[in-house]
């Protein structure tokens, strides 16, 4: 099963389209902040969360419950594709319905192997994978840059080092972050 969670009006073929509002004519009407989700344990192969996670789970406990539910319904090795506005872009900052920045480091807190590395090093990162009993591994991260910045980079007006510096230190450089997140389970029920 493939899920398009928080689909809005972007209904996808080959996916069960899920949204909080019946308005969109989706396949399943369900609020992602209400638990449990109406799907069986270990039943989902792929999840798409396109411009959804930044809108839900303002309360940390609710956010952690959302991720626990995703883990519960996913099969081992399921792929979750997350697309979010970058937290240092006006697209994120300007929308009052955006309640939580989603970052690569933040999602890494749900990776058990990374949690153990941080614990061994005495790092202060919260080991949420170990605490919640979930395990998600970031496989790929892609950044969509502002068109003007991409043109300068492609034209060699700015170097890779300059681009990396801009991305790290300036607003309105990265428009969107897309993360491929793999579900890791030691055994499937």
């Amino acid at each position: 099963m493939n899920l398009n969670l928080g689909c809005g009006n972007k209904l996808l073929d080959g996916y069960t389209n899920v949204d909080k509002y019946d308005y969109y004519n989706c396949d399943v009407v369900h609020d992602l902040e209400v638990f449990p989700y109406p799907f069986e344990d270990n039943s989902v192969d792929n999840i798409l969360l396109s411009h959804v996670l930044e809108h839900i789970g303002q309360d940390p406990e609710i956010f952690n419950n959302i991720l626990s539910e995703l883990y519960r319904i996913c099969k081992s090795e399921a792929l979750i594709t997350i697309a979010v506005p970058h937290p240092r872009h006006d697209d994120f900052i300007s929308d009052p319905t955006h309640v939580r920045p989603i970052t690569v480091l933040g999602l890494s807190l749900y990776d058990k192997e990374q949690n153990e590395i941080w614990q061994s090093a005495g790092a202060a990162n919260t080991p949420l994978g170990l605490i919640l009993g979930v395990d998600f591994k970031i496989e790929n991260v892609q950044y969509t840059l502002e068109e003007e910045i991409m043109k300068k980079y492609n034209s060699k007006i700015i170097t890779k080092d300059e681009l990396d510096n801009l991305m790290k230190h300036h607003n309105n450089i990265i428009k969107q972050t897309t993360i491929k997140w793999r579900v890791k389970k030691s055994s499937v029920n």
Side-chain angles (χ1 to χ4, degrees):
M1 175 188 315
N2 301 317
L3 296 178
N4 178 15
L5 298 179
C7 64
N9 63 359
K10 294 178 181 127
L11 306 178
L12 300 177
D13 290 335
Y15 282 78
T16 300
N17 297 287
V18 180
D19 201 88
K20 177 180 181 177
Y21 301 106
D22 194 23
Y23 174 81
Y24 296 114
N25 255 348
C26 53
D27 303 306
V28 175
V29 176
H30 186 79
D31 182 343
L32 297 177
E33 291 187 327
V34 174
F35 313 105
Y37 291 177
F39 305 103
E40 298 295 322
D41 294 0
N42 303 306
S43 63
V44 177
D45 297 295
N46 293 290
I47 293 177
L48 175 62
L49 288 159
S50 181
H51 292 267
V52 174
L53 277 185
E54 70 274 15
H55 293 276
I56 58 178
Q58 181 175 17
D59 178 281
E61 186 174 338
I62 297 290
F63 188 76
N64 286 332
N65 286 339
I66 291 165
L67 298 189
S68 293
E69 272 299 283
L70 296 179
Y71 191 76
R72 177 188 68 78
I73 65 175
C74 281
K75 295 177 180 177
S76 184
E77 299 302 317
L79 184 64
I80 301 172
T81 302
I82 299 164
V84 291
H86 193 274
R88 285 192 312 262
H89 194 281
D90 286 351
D91 289 352
F92 176 80
I93 298 166
S94 301
D95 188 334
T97 68
H98 290 169
V99 299
R100 163 177 301 283
I102 303 298
T103 65
V104 173
L105 179 57
L107 293 179
S108 296
L109 298 174
Y110 300 90
D111 177 336
K112 285 183 178 180
E113 181 182 9
Q114 188 62 58
N115 292 169
E116 290 166 353
I117 291 168
W118 285 330
Q119 281 188 333
S120 294
N125 305 64
T126 307
L128 291 170
L130 297 172
I131 291 168
L132 299 173
V134 301
D135 196 8
F136 300 98
K137 181 70 120 188
I138 293 174
E139 280 193 353
N140 184 273
V141 177
Q142 290 184 317
Y143 296 109
T144 303
L145 302 179
E146 278 292 340
E147 189 175 333
E148 176 186 329
I149 298 299
M150 270 313 294
K151 283 180 184 176
K152 287 180 179 180
Y153 177 69
N154 290 335
S155 301
K156 302 197 184 322
I157 294 170
I158 57 175
T159 67
K160 174 74 168 107
D161 287 343
E162 290 169 326
L163 177 60
D164 290 342
N165 186 55
L166 287 170
M167 289 170 54
K168 187 173 182 178
H169 298 287
H170 293 273
N171 291 347
N172 296 312
I173 302 299
I174 305 170
K175 190 166 181 65
Q176 175 178 292
T177 307
T178 303
I179 300 162
K180 301 286 186 176
W181 218 22
R182 185 71 64 182
V183 175
K184 297 295 186 181
K185 294 186 178 183
S186 55
S187 65
V188 177
N189 298 336

